[in-house]
Every structure is written in C-alpha cells, then in structure tokens.
Amino acid sequence: MKLCFETDRLQFDPLSLDDLDLTVEQFGDPEVVKHVADRTYTEAELIEELPLYIRRAGDGCIGIWRLTEKATGEKIGTAILLPMPIEKDDTDWGLLDGGDISDGDIEVDYILKRSAWGKGFATEACTRMLRFAFEATPLDVVVACTATDNTASQHVLTKCGMKPLGTIRAYQEDIPGFRITKDEWRRL
C-alpha cells in the first residue's frame, strides 16, 4: 500500500520523528490548538509525545500524515485517519499497535498552521484523505467531529461530502458529528 500521495498542491507523507518542528509550531500556537486541545504544549512535552503520534495501524493506513505545500516545500500541517475516542479526551494510541484497524469509528481530521488558513488546504486535505480511506483501506465509513463553535471546519466537512449527524459523543464531549460512507463518497 502506498502511504505517500499528493494533490495538485499538497504532498502527504506519514508523520515522522523528523517532524518535531511542525508539531511544535502547531501545538505551540494557541490559535491553532484552540479547537483541538485545552492548552498549548512545550517542545519538551512534544518530544515525549511525538513517538505516539507516529504510530500507525492497519498496515500503515491509519495514522497521521504531514502535509507539505509542494510549491514551497513548507510543512503546513497534518491530516489524520485515527480511531475516534468517545470517553477519552485523546486518541487511544494503544489502538495503533499492529496491523489491525480498530473496530471503532475512524475519524478524518486536519490541523493547519495559521499561515495556511484561508487557502483551501483544509478542504483539499480532507478530500484527499477521504479518497485514500475509501480507495486504499478496507474502511466503509469515516466520521469526523468538531468543536461546537468551529463553523469553518464544519463547512469544510460538509463541502467534502460528509453528512451532519447532529450532536455525538466524542472526546468526552457532546459535539457536532459528521459521517460519510464509501457508497456516498462514490456518488460525489
């Protein structure tokens, strides 16, 4: 299975230990993390956490990808296919040990540096991740969720063909949820 892929503007590569710089830039910026974490993280904390973030499952098809803008070579963010936690506030990284895909819901998500906002990269990344999920993995359903006030991401998800589910339980919260099946994706 090919885990590196691209769009017209973005290169997708599995996140690696060489991506500490990107991770620090993302999770050290309060504006970037305001919808995905309750605080920023220090470089020391991220050095400790990065080995978790590079874990993969399902023969590599479940995990985190680094997004690089092809025109500039700049690392601009990450995109994910990961098990969605329900009563935990973070991914259960233990589910990413081995070749199997978790039996629970797999979510698509993306986190972009502020410099990449407003350029259509979120929609481009989400669209390509859904294509990967439905063409290169055995997944039949992909889900997503957002913070209640993150209307920009809600718009991205619906633009990518995901259907609003109303309020769902995820990350120990009741928040807006989204879903798309492989059949729905094929009809887009």
Side-chain angles (χ1 to χ4, degrees), residues 3 20 33 44 53 58-59 65-66 76-77 79 100 104 118 124 129 131 135 137 139 146 153 159 163 171-172:
L3 298 179
L20 178 63
V33 300
Y53 301 161
D59 296 325
W65 281 260
R66 176 190 65 242
I76 64 163
D100 296 330
E124 191 170 333
M129 290 303 293
R131 179 178 162 201
E135 288 183 349
T137 81
L139 294 173
T146 71
S153 275
K159 192 173 178 181
K163 307 288 187 249
Y171 294 93
Q172 297 180 321

PDB file of all heavy atoms in Angstrom, residues 3 20 33 44 53 58-59 65-66 76-77 79 100 104 118 124 129 131 135 137 139 146 153 159 163 171-172:
ATOM      1  N   LEU A   3       1.656   4.790   1.023  1.00  0.00           N
ATOM      2  CA  LEU A   3       1.262   5.698   2.091  1.00  0.00           C
ATOM      3  C   LEU A   3       1.639   7.145   1.819  1.00  0.00           C
ATOM      4  O   LEU A   3       1.261   8.031   2.565  1.00  0.00           O
ATOM      5  CB  LEU A   3       1.870   5.249   3.417  1.00  0.00           C
ATOM      6  CG  LEU A   3       1.431   3.875   3.897  1.00  0.00           C
ATOM      7  CD1 LEU A   3       2.129   3.532   5.205  1.00  0.00           C
ATOM      8  CD2 LEU A   3      -0.071   3.795   4.048  1.00  0.00           C
ATOM      9  N   LEU A  20       9.257  17.108  14.252  1.00  0.00           N
ATOM     10  CA  LEU A  20       9.112  17.796  15.537  1.00  0.00           C
ATOM     11  C   LEU A  20       8.890  19.292  15.318  1.00  0.00           C
ATOM     12  O   LEU A  20       8.064  19.905  15.990  1.00  0.00           O
ATOM     13  CB  LEU A  20      10.339  17.562  16.418  1.00  0.00           C
ATOM     14  CG  LEU A  20      10.313  18.278  17.766  1.00  0.00           C
ATOM     15  CD1 LEU A  20       9.155  17.788  18.629  1.00  0.00           C
ATOM     16  CD2 LEU A  20      11.642  18.122  18.484  1.00  0.00           C
ATOM     17  N   VAL A  33      -4.461  25.458  18.243  1.00  0.00           N
ATOM     18  CA  VAL A  33      -4.966  24.377  19.093  1.00  0.00           C
ATOM     19  C   VAL A  33      -6.285  24.688  19.788  1.00  0.00           C
ATOM     20  O   VAL A  33      -6.845  23.807  20.439  1.00  0.00           O
ATOM     21  CB  VAL A  33      -3.928  23.947  20.158  1.00  0.00           C
ATOM     22  CG1 VAL A  33      -2.659  23.448  19.503  1.00  0.00           C
ATOM     23  CG2 VAL A  33      -3.657  25.043  21.151  1.00  0.00           C
ATOM     24  N   ALA A  44       9.459  20.321  24.925  1.00  0.00           N
ATOM     25  CA  ALA A  44       9.836  19.144  25.726  1.00  0.00           C
ATOM     26  C   ALA A  44       8.683  18.140  25.794  1.00  0.00           C
ATOM     27  O   ALA A  44       8.893  16.927  25.672  1.00  0.00           O
ATOM     28  CB  ALA A  44      10.258  19.576  27.128  1.00  0.00           C
ATOM     29  N   TYR A  53       2.576   9.901  18.240  1.00  0.00           N
ATOM     30  CA  TYR A  53       1.939  10.472  17.058  1.00  0.00           C
ATOM     31  C   TYR A  53       2.362   9.782  15.759  1.00  0.00           C
ATOM     32  O   TYR A  53       1.655   9.879  14.752  1.00  0.00           O
ATOM     33  CB  TYR A  53       2.238  11.960  16.930  1.00  0.00           C
ATOM     34  CG  TYR A  53       1.804  12.821  18.097  1.00  0.00           C
ATOM     35  CD1 TYR A  53       2.343  14.084  18.279  1.00  0.00           C
ATOM     36  CD2 TYR A  53       0.871  12.387  19.029  1.00  0.00           C
ATOM     37  CE1 TYR A  53       1.965  14.892  19.335  1.00  0.00           C
ATOM     38  CE2 TYR A  53       0.487  13.184  20.099  1.00  0.00           C
ATOM     39  CZ  TYR A  53       1.037  14.434  20.245  1.00  0.00           C
ATOM     40  OH  TYR A  53       0.667  15.232  21.284  1.00  0.00           O
ATOM     41  N   GLY A  58      -3.233  -0.849  10.787  1.00  0.00           N
ATOM     42  CA  GLY A  58      -3.847  -1.238   9.522  1.00  0.00           C
ATOM     43  C   GLY A  58      -2.854  -1.215   8.386  1.00  0.00           C
ATOM     44  O   GLY A  58      -3.140  -0.640   7.334  1.00  0.00           O
ATOM     45  N   ASP A  59      -1.684  -1.802   8.593  1.00  0.00           N
ATOM     46  CA  ASP A  59      -0.622  -1.800   7.584  1.00  0.00           C
ATOM     47  C   ASP A  59      -0.203  -0.385   7.190  1.00  0.00           C
ATOM     48  O   ASP A  59       0.174  -0.121   6.059  1.00  0.00           O
ATOM     49  CB  ASP A  59      -1.036  -2.601   6.346  1.00  0.00           C
ATOM     50  CG  ASP A  59      -1.246  -4.076   6.663  1.00  0.00           C
ATOM     51  OD1 ASP A  59      -0.505  -4.604   7.515  1.00  0.00           O
ATOM     52  OD2 ASP A  59      -2.141  -4.681   6.069  1.00  0.00           O
ATOM     53  N   TRP A  65      -0.549  12.016   8.789  1.00  0.00           N
ATOM     54  CA  TRP A  65       0.284  12.401   7.645  1.00  0.00           C
ATOM     55  C   TRP A  65       0.712  13.854   7.792  1.00  0.00           C
ATOM     56  O   TRP A  65      -0.058  14.704   8.229  1.00  0.00           O
ATOM     57  CB  TRP A  65      -0.504  12.272   6.341  1.00  0.00           C
ATOM     58  CG  TRP A  65      -0.613  10.890   5.822  1.00  0.00           C
ATOM     59  CD1 TRP A  65       0.136  10.334   4.820  1.00  0.00           C
ATOM     60  CD2 TRP A  65      -1.521   9.863   6.247  1.00  0.00           C
ATOM     61  NE1 TRP A  65      -0.251   9.026   4.615  1.00  0.00           N
ATOM     62  CE2 TRP A  65      -1.263   8.710   5.483  1.00  0.00           C
ATOM     63  CE3 TRP A  65      -2.520   9.795   7.218  1.00  0.00           C
ATOM     64  CZ2 TRP A  65      -1.969   7.532   5.652  1.00  0.00           C
ATOM     65  CZ3 TRP A  65      -3.217   8.612   7.381  1.00  0.00           C
ATOM     66  CH2 TRP A  65      -2.936   7.502   6.600  1.00  0.00           C
ATOM     67  N   ARG A  66       1.936  14.134   7.400  1.00  0.00           N
ATOM     68  CA  ARG A  66       2.445  15.511   7.302  1.00  0.00           C
ATOM     69  C   ARG A  66       1.986  16.067   5.958  1.00  0.00           C
ATOM     70  O   ARG A  66       2.044  15.398   4.935  1.00  0.00           O
ATOM     71  CB  ARG A  66       3.961  15.527   7.369  1.00  0.00           C
ATOM     72  CG  ARG A  66       4.551  16.934   7.165  1.00  0.00           C
ATOM     73  CD  ARG A  66       6.058  16.932   6.985  1.00  0.00           C
ATOM     74  NE  ARG A  66       6.419  16.242   5.750  1.00  0.00           N
ATOM     75  CZ  ARG A  66       7.161  15.140   5.684  1.00  0.00           C
ATOM     76  NH1 ARG A  66       7.630  14.558   6.758  1.00  0.00           N
ATOM     77  NH2 ARG A  66       7.445  14.593   4.521  1.00  0.00           N
ATOM     78  N   ILE A  76       2.976  22.434   6.254  1.00  0.00           N
ATOM     79  CA  ILE A  76       1.893  23.335   6.638  1.00  0.00           C
ATOM     80  C   ILE A  76       0.887  22.731   7.613  1.00  0.00           C
ATOM     81  O   ILE A  76       0.026  23.446   8.121  1.00  0.00           O
ATOM     82  CB  ILE A  76       1.139  23.872   5.402  1.00  0.00           C
ATOM     83  CG1 ILE A  76       0.452  22.744   4.643  1.00  0.00           C
ATOM     84  CG2 ILE A  76       2.064  24.678   4.509  1.00  0.00           C
ATOM     85  CD1 ILE A  76      -0.624  23.221   3.694  1.00  0.00           C
ATOM     86  N   GLY A  77       0.965  21.425   7.851  1.00  0.00           N
ATOM     87  CA  GLY A  77       0.010  20.851   8.781  1.00  0.00           C
ATOM     88  C   GLY A  77       0.023  19.344   8.758  1.00  0.00           C
ATOM     89  O   GLY A  77       0.938  18.710   8.216  1.00  0.00           O
ATOM     90  N   ALA A  79      -2.781  15.748   8.585  1.00  0.00           N
ATOM     91  CA  ALA A  79      -4.095  15.168   8.318  1.00  0.00           C
ATOM     92  C   ALA A  79      -4.096  13.779   8.944  1.00  0.00           C
ATOM     93  O   ALA A  79      -3.054  13.128   9.007  1.00  0.00           O
ATOM     94  CB  ALA A  79      -4.359  15.090   6.820  1.00  0.00           C
ATOM     95  N   ASP A 100      -3.859  -4.342  12.620  1.00  0.00           N
ATOM     96  CA  ASP A 100      -5.311  -4.256  12.535  1.00  0.00           C
ATOM     97  C   ASP A 100      -5.810  -2.829  12.658  1.00  0.00           C
ATOM     98  O   ASP A 100      -5.180  -1.981  13.276  1.00  0.00           O
ATOM     99  CB  ASP A 100      -5.953  -5.099  13.643  1.00  0.00           C
ATOM    100  CG  ASP A 100      -5.660  -6.586  13.499  1.00  0.00           C
ATOM    101  OD1 ASP A 100      -5.493  -7.039  12.348  1.00  0.00           O
ATOM    102  OD2 ASP A 100      -5.590  -7.279  14.526  1.00  0.00           O
ATOM    103  N   GLY A 104     -13.710   0.411  16.264  1.00  0.00           N
ATOM    104  CA  GLY A 104     -14.495   1.621  16.461  1.00  0.00           C
ATOM    105  C   GLY A 104     -14.445   2.530  15.246  1.00  0.00           C
ATOM    106  O   GLY A 104     -13.857   2.210  14.207  1.00  0.00           O
ATOM    107  N   GLY A 118      -7.254  29.687   5.237  1.00  0.00           N
ATOM    108  CA  GLY A 118      -7.948  30.502   4.249  1.00  0.00           C
ATOM    109  C   GLY A 118      -7.489  30.301   2.814  1.00  0.00           C
ATOM    110  O   GLY A 118      -7.815  31.106   1.944  1.00  0.00           O
ATOM    111  N   GLU A 124      -8.879  20.587   0.623  1.00  0.00           N
ATOM    112  CA  GLU A 124      -8.037  19.744  -0.237  1.00  0.00           C
ATOM    113  C   GLU A 124      -7.504  18.535   0.535  1.00  0.00           C
ATOM    114  O   GLU A 124      -7.522  17.406   0.038  1.00  0.00           O
ATOM    115  CB  GLU A 124      -6.886  20.582  -0.777  1.00  0.00           C
ATOM    116  CG  GLU A 124      -6.084  19.927  -1.867  1.00  0.00           C
ATOM    117  CD  GLU A 124      -5.105  20.893  -2.523  1.00  0.00           C
ATOM    118  OE1 GLU A 124      -5.349  22.122  -2.536  1.00  0.00           O
ATOM    119  OE2 GLU A 124      -4.082  20.402  -3.038  1.00  0.00           O
ATOM    120  N   MET A 129      -7.823  12.769   1.913  1.00  0.00           N
ATOM    121  CA  MET A 129      -7.822  11.738   2.949  1.00  0.00           C
ATOM    122  C   MET A 129      -9.031  10.815   2.790  1.00  0.00           C
ATOM    123  O   MET A 129      -8.905   9.596   2.980  1.00  0.00           O
ATOM    124  CB  MET A 129      -7.802  12.368   4.343  1.00  0.00           C
ATOM    125  CG  MET A 129      -6.499  13.045   4.705  1.00  0.00           C
ATOM    126  SD  MET A 129      -5.032  11.980   4.614  1.00  0.00           S
ATOM    127  CE  MET A 129      -5.349  10.835   5.939  1.00  0.00           C
ATOM    128  N   ARG A 131     -10.526  10.140  -0.024  1.00  0.00           N
ATOM    129  CA  ARG A 131     -10.204   9.304  -1.196  1.00  0.00           C
ATOM    130  C   ARG A 131      -9.275   8.156  -0.788  1.00  0.00           C
ATOM    131  O   ARG A 131      -9.494   7.007  -1.166  1.00  0.00           O
ATOM    132  CB  ARG A 131      -9.561  10.155  -2.289  1.00  0.00           C
ATOM    133  CG  ARG A 131      -9.174   9.358  -3.503  1.00  0.00           C
ATOM    134  CD  ARG A 131      -8.584  10.240  -4.579  1.00  0.00           C
ATOM    135  NE  ARG A 131      -7.851   9.408  -5.520  1.00  0.00           N
ATOM    136  CZ  ARG A 131      -6.912   9.849  -6.319  1.00  0.00           C
ATOM    137  NH1 ARG A 131      -6.586  11.128  -6.320  1.00  0.00           N
ATOM    138  NH2 ARG A 131      -6.293   9.036  -7.121  1.00  0.00           N
ATOM    139  N   GLU A 135     -10.347   4.289  -1.096  1.00  0.00           N
ATOM    140  CA  GLU A 135      -9.691   3.571  -2.198  1.00  0.00           C
ATOM    141  C   GLU A 135      -8.573   2.645  -1.730  1.00  0.00           C
ATOM    142  O   GLU A 135      -8.284   1.654  -2.390  1.00  0.00           O
ATOM    143  CB  GLU A 135      -9.107   4.565  -3.215  1.00  0.00           C
ATOM    144  CG  GLU A 135     -10.157   5.261  -4.043  1.00  0.00           C
ATOM    145  CD  GLU A 135      -9.554   6.184  -5.098  1.00  0.00           C
ATOM    146  OE1 GLU A 135      -8.327   6.455  -5.072  1.00  0.00           O
ATOM    147  OE2 GLU A 135     -10.330   6.659  -5.950  1.00  0.00           O
ATOM    148  N   THR A 137      -8.002   1.565   1.747  1.00  0.00           N
ATOM    149  CA  THR A 137      -8.190   0.879   3.024  1.00  0.00           C
ATOM    150  C   THR A 137      -9.498   0.091   2.964  1.00  0.00           C
ATOM    151  O   THR A 137     -10.324   0.324   2.084  1.00  0.00           O
ATOM    152  CB  THR A 137      -8.252   1.866   4.215  1.00  0.00           C
ATOM    153  OG1 THR A 137      -9.571   2.425   4.290  1.00  0.00           O
ATOM    154  CG2 THR A 137      -7.210   2.951   4.108  1.00  0.00           C
ATOM    155  N   LEU A 139     -11.941   0.527   4.937  1.00  0.00           N
ATOM    156  CA  LEU A 139     -12.976   1.301   5.617  1.00  0.00           C
ATOM    157  C   LEU A 139     -14.210   1.485   4.736  1.00  0.00           C
ATOM    158  O   LEU A 139     -14.100   1.793   3.547  1.00  0.00           O
ATOM    159  CB  LEU A 139     -12.434   2.673   6.019  1.00  0.00           C
ATOM    160  CG  LEU A 139     -11.330   2.674   7.074  1.00  0.00           C
ATOM    161  CD1 LEU A 139     -10.773   4.085   7.253  1.00  0.00           C
ATOM    162  CD2 LEU A 139     -11.840   2.119   8.397  1.00  0.00           C
ATOM    163  N   THR A 146     -16.204  18.162  15.356  1.00  0.00           N
ATOM    164  CA  THR A 146     -15.579  19.472  15.529  1.00  0.00           C
ATOM    165  C   THR A 146     -16.012  20.063  16.857  1.00  0.00           C
ATOM    166  O   THR A 146     -17.005  19.632  17.449  1.00  0.00           O
ATOM    167  CB  THR A 146     -15.990  20.471  14.420  1.00  0.00           C
ATOM    168  OG1 THR A 146     -17.362  20.846  14.614  1.00  0.00           O
ATOM    169  CG2 THR A 146     -15.794  19.912  13.039  1.00  0.00           C
ATOM    170  N   SER A 153     -14.500  24.483  10.176  1.00  0.00           N
ATOM    171  CA  SER A 153     -14.280  23.058   9.925  1.00  0.00           C
ATOM    172  C   SER A 153     -15.578  22.336   9.589  1.00  0.00           C
ATOM    173  O   SER A 153     -15.588  21.414   8.780  1.00  0.00           O
ATOM    174  CB  SER A 153     -13.610  22.388  11.126  1.00  0.00           C
ATOM    175  OG  SER A 153     -12.219  22.556  11.048  1.00  0.00           O
ATOM    176  N   LYS A 159     -18.562  20.358   2.811  1.00  0.00           N
ATOM    177  CA  LYS A 159     -18.081  20.592   1.443  1.00  0.00           C
ATOM    178  C   LYS A 159     -17.425  19.338   0.867  1.00  0.00           C
ATOM    179  O   LYS A 159     -17.480  19.085  -0.337  1.00  0.00           O
ATOM    180  CB  LYS A 159     -17.084  21.753   1.460  1.00  0.00           C
ATOM    181  CG  LYS A 159     -16.724  22.305   0.111  1.00  0.00           C
ATOM    182  CD  LYS A 159     -15.863  23.552   0.288  1.00  0.00           C
ATOM    183  CE  LYS A 159     -15.449  24.112  -1.040  1.00  0.00           C
ATOM    184  NZ  LYS A 159     -14.611  25.304  -0.902  1.00  0.00           N
ATOM    185  N   LYS A 163     -21.929  14.113   5.930  1.00  0.00           N
ATOM    186  CA  LYS A 163     -23.278  14.479   6.361  1.00  0.00           C
ATOM    187  C   LYS A 163     -23.283  14.781   7.857  1.00  0.00           C
ATOM    188  O   LYS A 163     -22.764  13.998   8.653  1.00  0.00           O
ATOM    189  CB  LYS A 163     -24.255  13.330   6.095  1.00  0.00           C
ATOM    190  CG  LYS A 163     -24.248  12.823   4.663  1.00  0.00           C
ATOM    191  CD  LYS A 163     -24.896  13.809   3.733  1.00  0.00           C
ATOM    192  CE  LYS A 163     -25.044  13.217   2.349  1.00  0.00           C
ATOM    193  NZ  LYS A 163     -24.210  13.809   1.362  1.00  0.00           N
ATOM    194  N   TYR A 171     -14.522  12.547  22.418  1.00  0.00           N
ATOM    195  CA  TYR A 171     -13.571  13.325  23.220  1.00  0.00           C
ATOM    196  C   TYR A 171     -14.175  13.790  24.551  1.00  0.00           C
ATOM    197  O   TYR A 171     -13.939  14.902  24.991  1.00  0.00           O
ATOM    198  CB  TYR A 171     -13.043  14.518  22.420  1.00  0.00           C
ATOM    199  CG  TYR A 171     -12.204  14.122  21.236  1.00  0.00           C
ATOM    200  CD1 TYR A 171     -12.771  13.961  19.975  1.00  0.00           C
ATOM    201  CD2 TYR A 171     -10.849  13.875  21.379  1.00  0.00           C
ATOM    202  CE1 TYR A 171     -11.999  13.571  18.880  1.00  0.00           C
ATOM    203  CE2 TYR A 171     -10.071  13.495  20.303  1.00  0.00           C
ATOM    204  CZ  TYR A 171     -10.653  13.345  19.054  1.00  0.00           C
ATOM    205  OH  TYR A 171      -9.881  12.970  17.980  1.00  0.00           O
ATOM    206  N   GLN A 172     -15.017  12.954  25.148  1.00  0.00           N
ATOM    207  CA  GLN A 172     -15.675  13.235  26.426  1.00  0.00           C
ATOM    208  C   GLN A 172     -16.607  14.435  26.353  1.00  0.00           C
ATOM    209  O   GLN A 172     -16.899  15.062  27.377  1.00  0.00           O
ATOM    210  CB  GLN A 172     -14.651  13.475  27.545  1.00  0.00           C
ATOM    211  CG  GLN A 172     -13.791  12.308  27.865  1.00  0.00           C
ATOM    212  CD  GLN A 172     -12.796  12.611  28.971  1.00  0.00           C
ATOM    213  OE1 GLN A 172     -12.225  13.697  29.043  1.00  0.00           O
ATOM    214  NE2 GLN A 172     -12.570  11.631  29.837  1.00  0.00           N
TER     215      GLN A 172
END
